[in-house]
Amino acid sequence: MNRRIFVVLVGLCAAVGLYAQDTPPDTPQQAPAAGAGRGGRGGAAAANADPQPYDTVITKDTKSTKGIFTVHQKRETFYYEIPKSELGKEFLWNSQISKTAIGVGYGGAQLAEMVVRWELKGNRVLLLDVNYSLTADPKSPIAMAVKNANNDAIIMAFPVAAFAKDGAPVIDVTRLFTTDVAEFSARQHLGAAGVDATRSFIEHIAPFSENVEAEVTMTYTNSGGRGAAAGGGRGGGLGGGTMRGSSATVVLHHSMVRLPEKPMMPRLFDNRVGYFTTRTMDFTHNEYKVDNVQYIARWRLDKKDPNAALSDPVKPIVYYIDAATPVKWVPWLIKGVEDVRHSVIRWLPSTTENASGPHISDPRTGEILNADIQFYHNVMVLARDWYFTQVGPLDPRAQKLPLPDDLMGRLLEYVVCHEVGHTLGFQHNMKASSEYPFEKIRDPKWVHEMGHTPSIMDYSRFNYVAQPEDHIALEDLVPRIGPYDIWATKWGYAPIPGAKTPDEEKATLNKWAKEQDDKPWLRFSTANSAGSDPGDETEAVGDADAVKATTLGVKNLQRVEKMLMTATAWKEGETYDDLNEMYGRVISQWQTEMNHVTQIVGGFNSQEKAIGQEGRIFSLVEKDRQAEAVKFLVDNAFTTPMWLIDEEILRRIEAVGALDRIHNAQQAVLTSLLNSARFGRLIEQETLDGTRAYSPVEFLSTVRKGVWKELDAPAVKVDAYRRGLQRSYLTLVNAKINAAAPAPAPVVPAGEEPAPAPGGRGGRGGGAPGDEKGMYRSELKALSASITAALAKTTDHETKAHLEASRDEIAKILDPKFLPAAPAAAAAGGGRGGVFYKNR
């Protein structure tokens, strides 16, 4: 990049509101008496009242604070004096839950992000919701039609209480904040029925040179006294909940910041590079059709010296570390910030194992105006458990709990650095971890220079592929900023000399994007891959070859299993809770790695491309590689992993549960493998690619024989673990055969285009064609015959009972009038597992 980005870190400070530039009043207002201080709430009389002389409204006992608006406070009533120069200007309004109640989410939850405008109309001021979903060049003939189709909604109308000498209207805005305004209400987020105005009041409103910040205590109620299911407020949230009891009191923070009068020149989005976007339906960008125009989200970083190769920015970005952050972790969070020169961190007292990096953008251009990192306290537990289960055998510091502070701090630094990427505008790049040659992630020199994944924006945690004999340096086990991150920053932020419009930048941006052809590690997840790319997986390391990666990963897990007893016995007199948790994490990690192998079946290797780049976007995963993956699963996932069953552990954590633990993990892998969308891809691959494709018949037969392999033995005996797996197989197949029929496709009126199919980036997409039901019926018939033959070869009572019951179950599945239909949802199969770091 030919610019330098600076960070201004303001050490520890009290929790700040968005865009806060000075210290707001710190004395909350007392709750008004019922019905008091509501100046102008509802009623025709208030709406029709004539403006009064200024001095009778803004009296000597009124406290006034000047800023972009002048805010007047008279006891519990608040007035805005809006300069005439600010009328008609556009502001970004953002509402968040600043303080919350137990059971209804966490502080920082987003309620609204919208553009508003204040307009004077006679003796009223209107607060308008400005929508940029439809746009057109104001000079174009269609601009008026677009405006008429996108009329601004009135959020609230305010009678003018008085006019200042310069003509500025003065309005009472108390009811804007203390009543339930739908556009930025927390009611749905909390699952509430309404607002109690007698227990709701404004804490303070503080104006600054570019913004106005308001904090309001709101009490929400449920008439029935029981919490309702929480919905999502406008703009989405960070996790709602259910109110406990009949009331919940929360503090809302409303931030109103003036949008730049001279908008930043936007940069057009490209599917080949992973940025968040703002979008609009532009009626003039394409002369033939309405164009879905997307601009990337990025900060405005204009150079102070336009002629310098490197320059300080005109406006450096100021970030804060919340005072609630535990002191000993602050230096590590600062390191996480300094890694990429950007961050703001809010520490939340939550048991949620999560972190997120939302940001707020100008919808006209994508300019990021503010960014946050929501850091949930128990994400430290998640980072600890990941490190221990993935690379514990490689790091002597991790072989005894608790982890030392220097290691724990490094893990927090990694988490912060990932979330900082989101505050810069970056999406996740799950494809990154599959773009290095597999052997390189065990090469100490390569890993030291390039990392084990090209992007910190991947969900590629710690290098579980590395083995003790590889001698990977401890600092290189943790992801860091990689070549993709550096390249994508240049693509999104570097100025392009001579370009005056977004379209004039396209040629240069396309040239940069084509560097991905020769450097695979610069690639981003493929749009519309619908979950078909086995290299586009979460929680994966080395998924260029998931079979090899999982083989080595399991070796490390076996080492971890042997460490569990000593590692968790860290303090005499404590419970075995850590042993229980870590044992569960080991099984979960095993399941995760096995699921990476399932993604190979029915898969496509992919690279996002644009016109002018040679080759196809999607190419078939080789038949032999798919067959190898199924065999690996039969031998490793569906053969009981006896190394996971350690009585010394089990008898310290539970009286019963070992069978269920193994059964649930195996069932999850089998569910993923038999996913209907995966089977649909196998059918289509065979149809289009013929003998080059992996046969669906061979796939189903191999899985059946692998799950039921005891049936071919000279003497048949099936143990309890295998019986559970086989019952799961029958349950899944029943769901395939007897699932409710899908709804018919909607009828499209003549002359209209059908709605686009679901899917898109990150979607699983697709589904099983009609062949699935028939092929599974054939498998069950073959299985029934094998069970009949096997019954003659068993003398084991449990095995005989299991096989007879299985044969009866098959008969019922094949003749569904004897068996209730399986719910359609059961056929959906397994997804990718949990998502931990939310992006917005």
Side-chain angles (χ1 to χ4, degrees):
M1 289 182 62
N2 56 348
R3 68 178 69 195
R4 186 171 57 200
I5 303 172
F6 276 82
V7 168
V8 178
L9 268 181
V10 180
L12 292 177
C13 63
V16 295
L18 302 178
Y19 319 104
Q21 299 168 10
D22 299 294
T23 304
D26 57 7
T27 305
Q29 302 303 309
Q30 297 300 311
R38 295 288 170 246
R41 277 187 67 194
N48 295 329
D50 291 331
Q52 301 298 304
Y54 187 88
D55 291 343
T56 65
V57 176
I58 308 303
T59 58
K60 292 181 179 179
D61 61 345
T62 301
K63 177 183 176 182
S64 300
T65 307
K66 291 187 177 182
I68 192 168
F69 291 4
T70 298
V71 175
H72 304 287
Q73 179 184 354
K74 186 190 297 183
R75 294 181 293 280
E76 287 80 36
T77 301
F78 286 79
Y79 296 91
Y80 278 0
E81 182 176 324
I82 306 176
K84 293 176 69 175
S85 61
E86 300 303 325
L87 292 168
K89 298 291 177 63
E90 293 183 348
F91 294 80
L92 190 68
W93 187 292
N94 180 268
S95 297
Q96 294 182 339
I97 297 179
S98 177
K99 299 177 183 177
T100 190
I102 293 176
V104 285
Y106 309 104
Q110 185 88 347
L111 298 175
E113 182 180 327
M114 56 198 300
V115 177
V116 300
R117 183 171 65 243
W118 301 85
E119 286 193 356
L120 178 64
K121 193 174 183 67
N123 288 336
R124 290 188 297 180
V125 170
L126 307 180
L127 178 60
L128 303 174
D129 179 357
V130 183
N131 192 309
Y132 275 95
S133 60
L134 303 178
T135 58
D137 185 335
K139 298 178 183 178
S140 67
I142 201 174
M144 183 59 69
V146 171
K147 180 176 175 59
N148 291 339
N150 192 23
N151 195 40
D152 300 331
I154 300 173
I155 298 172
M156 188 172 281
F158 305 85
V160 175
F163 283 100
K165 290 182 180 180
D166 61 0
V170 177
I171 60 173
D172 179 355
V173 294
T174 311
R175 66 192 177 102
L176 176 64
F177 297 105
T178 58
T179 59
D180 191 33
V181 179
E183 283 79 1
F184 40 82
S185 172
R187 182 170 55 83
Q188 287 186 328
H189 184 88
L190 273 59
V195 170
D196 185 348
T198 67
R199 291 182 283 165
S200 301
F201 50 89
I202 297 172
E203 297 278 1
H204 60 254
I205 301 179
F208 304 101
S209 60
E210 298 289 331
N211 53 292
V212 180
E213 307 296 317
E215 289 219 334
V216 184
T217 290
M218 297 289 285
T219 300
Y220 292 88
T221 63
N222 273 323
S223 56
R226 289 189 296 177
R234 178 173 178 166
L238 294 177
T242 301
M243 288 174 54
R244 297 187 178 186
S246 59
S247 301
T249 298
V250 301
V251 176
L252 305 185
H253 188 101
H254 303 284
S255 178
M256 187 187 73
V257 61
R258 182 170 56 189
L259 289 174
E261 291 196 33
K262 182 181 179 182
M264 177 185 75
M265 188 177 85
R267 180 157 291 183
L268 289 166
F269 174 68
D270 188 315
N271 277 330
R272 293 169 289 183
V273 191
Y275 276 85
F276 292 119
T277 65
T278 59
R279 64 178 64 201
T280 182
M281 300 300 293
D282 192 311
F283 282 77
T284 50
H285 192 258
N286 187 314
E287 62 179 300
Y288 295 110
K289 65 182 178 70
V290 179
D291 206 1
N292 181 11
V293 176
Q294 297 183 70
Y295 299 125
I296 68 170
R298 58 175 182 159
W299 293 88
R300 178 185 291 201
L301 295 172
D302 298 326
K303 293 191 290 186
K304 278 186 178 179
D305 183 353
N307 298 317
L310 292 175
S311 170
D312 292 353
V314 172
K315 184 179 180 182
I317 307 165
V318 179
Y319 294 90
Y320 302 85
I321 295 180
D322 194 340
T325 305
V327 174
K328 70 178 179 178
W329 302 131
V330 170
W332 294 100
L333 300 187
I334 292 174
K335 287 186 177 182
V337 170
E338 290 174 342
D339 271 351
V340 287
R341 303 294 188 259
H342 293 80
S343 187
V344 62
I345 303 168
R346 178 180 295 168
W347 195 280
L348 302 177
S350 166
T351 59
T352 298
E353 296 177 348
N354 202 359
S356 63
H359 61 263
I360 298 167
S361 299
D362 184 338
R364 305 169 302 175
T365 63
E367 179 184 351
I368 297 175
L369 302 173
N370 175 271
D372 241 358
I373 291 178
Q374 312 287 352
F375 208 97
Y376 300 83
H377 187 82
N378 266 19
V379 77
M380 295 190 296
V381 175
L382 184 63
R384 177 201 70 175
D385 292 358
W386 272 335
Y387 194 81
F388 178 83
T389 56
Q390 292 174 10
V391 296
L394 309 178
D395 187 346
R397 299 171 299 171
Q399 294 174 13
K400 185 78 172 177
L401 296 181
L403 300 184
D405 284 355
D406 63 336
L407 176 54
M408 198 66 233
R410 177 67 185 94
L411 303 186
L412 295 184
E413 177 188 340
Y414 152 63
V415 175
V416 171
C417 196
H418 173 97
E419 298 306 333
V420 161
H422 290 315
T423 71
L424 287 173
F426 294 134
Q427 293 187 46
H428 288 127
N429 183 6
M430 305 307 186
K431 190 175 180 63
S433 58
S434 65
E435 294 305 316
Y436 284 155
F438 179 79
E439 64 276 7
K440 293 296 186 182
I441 58 177
R442 298 184 64 186
D443 181 337
K445 185 175 184 297
W446 175 281
V447 172
H448 184 69
E449 294 176 357
M450 305 282 283
H452 66 262
T453 178
S455 176
I456 201 163
M457 301 314 297
D458 197 352
Y459 277 1
S460 184
R461 312 302 180 179
F462 310 114
N463 191 351
Y464 62 74
V465 170
Q467 299 295 294
E469 63 269 22
D470 297 334
H471 304 294
I472 302 293
L474 298 184
E475 63 268 22
D476 295 334
L477 295 172
V478 183
R480 59 175 182 271
I481 295 169
Y484 167 83
D485 306 312
I486 296 169
W487 173 84
T489 302
K490 169 193 170 183
W491 190 96
Y493 281 89
I496 299 176
K500 303 298 183 185
T501 68
D503 284 331
E504 290 178 8
E505 291 187 328
K506 288 180 69 174
T508 298
L509 294 175
N510 180 57
K511 179 182 177 182
W512 290 346
K514 288 170 69 175
E515 294 174 20
Q516 296 173 336
D517 290 343
D518 299 323
K519 296 178 180 178
W521 45 86
L522 302 183
R523 294 174 188 170
F524 179 65
S525 298
T526 307
N528 300 317
S529 63
S532 66
D533 189 338
D536 194 3
E537 290 302 308
T538 64
E539 312 301 334
V541 175
D543 42 335
D545 192 328
V547 169
K548 290 181 180 177
T550 300
T551 298
L552 295 172
V554 168
K555 285 186 177 181
N556 274 331
L557 284 174
Q558 291 171 340
R559 297 180 181 110
V560 172
E561 179 80 3
K562 295 175 182 177
M563 293 164 40
L564 285 177
M565 290 287 292
T566 55
T568 58
W570 60 277
K571 188 174 182 181
E572 186 175 345
E574 294 295 320
T575 67
Y576 285 104
D577 287 349
D578 277 345
L579 178 63
N580 188 15
E581 178 175 342
M582 288 301 185
Y583 179 63
R585 295 284 193 188
V586 169
I587 294 176
S588 177
Q589 182 67 26
W590 177 86
Q591 175 187 320
T592 295
E593 293 181 30
M594 291 296 166
N595 274 339
H596 295 153
V597 180
T598 70
Q599 299 305 109
I600 296 171
V601 182
F604 288 95
N605 299 312
S606 68
Q607 178 193 345
E608 186 64 43
K609 295 181 180 181
I611 295 173
Q613 289 175 275
E614 294 184 1
R616 301 175 178 180
I617 293 177
F618 301 102
S619 60
L620 183 72
V621 172
E622 298 84 356
K623 175 171 62 175
D624 291 347
R625 187 177 168 213
Q626 294 194 43
E628 176 196 31
V630 176
K631 184 178 186 305
F632 176 87
L633 293 168
V634 166
D635 293 341
N636 295 274
F638 306 142
T639 298
T640 308
M642 297 304 299
W643 59 271
L644 278 171
I645 303 163
D646 186 334
E647 286 191 39
E648 288 299 315
I649 294 173
L650 292 167
R651 292 297 181 249
R652 282 174 169 81
I653 63 176
E654 60 195 7
V656 64
L659 285 169
D660 283 344
R661 288 177 185 268
I662 301 301
H663 169 245
N664 291 339
Q666 288 184 317
Q667 179 177 264
V669 178
L670 184 60
T671 300
S672 176
L673 183 62
L674 298 184
N675 179 278
S676 290
R678 188 183 322 287
F679 186 79
R681 293 197 297 270
L682 286 171
I683 291 288
E684 185 163 314
Q685 287 175 356
E686 184 181 50
T687 301
L688 295 180
D689 297 283
T691 57
R692 292 178 52 248
Y694 182 47
S695 164
V697 173
E698 181 183 347
F699 165 66
L700 291 183
S701 176
T702 304
V703 174
R704 168 176 54 83
K705 291 177 180 178
V707 171
W708 297 84
K709 64 183 178 182
E710 291 90 345
L711 303 184
D712 294 328
V716 178
K717 183 174 182 178
V718 186
D719 66 26
Y721 295 105
R722 297 281 298 173
R723 294 197 297 267
L725 175 65
Q726 291 167 4
R727 284 191 290 268
S728 291
Y729 175 89
L730 293 180
T731 299
L732 290 168
V733 173
N734 176 47
K736 309 295 183 183
I737 294 175
N738 295 312
V747 177
V748 180
E752 294 188 14
E753 294 185 4
R761 188 183 305 281
R764 305 311 280 182
D771 288 327
E772 186 180 42
K773 182 178 293 188
M775 288 190 178
Y776 274 109
R777 288 181 64 85
S778 178
E779 287 300 305
L780 286 190
K781 290 177 181 178
L783 177 58
S784 182
S786 296
I787 289 174
T788 299
L791 280 168
K793 300 186 291 181
T794 183
T795 57
D796 179 70
H797 178 75
E798 288 87 353
T799 298
K800 184 176 181 181
H802 165 66
L803 294 181
E804 287 176 342
S806 297
R807 188 173 58 181
D808 291 346
E809 185 76 7
I810 290 170
K812 292 177 182 178
I813 294 171
L814 294 175
D815 192 355
K817 68 174 177 286
F818 296 114
L819 187 71
R832 297 196 187 194
V835 175
F836 294 97
Y837 293 154
K838 298 177 182 176
N839 48 28
R840 296 188 77 172

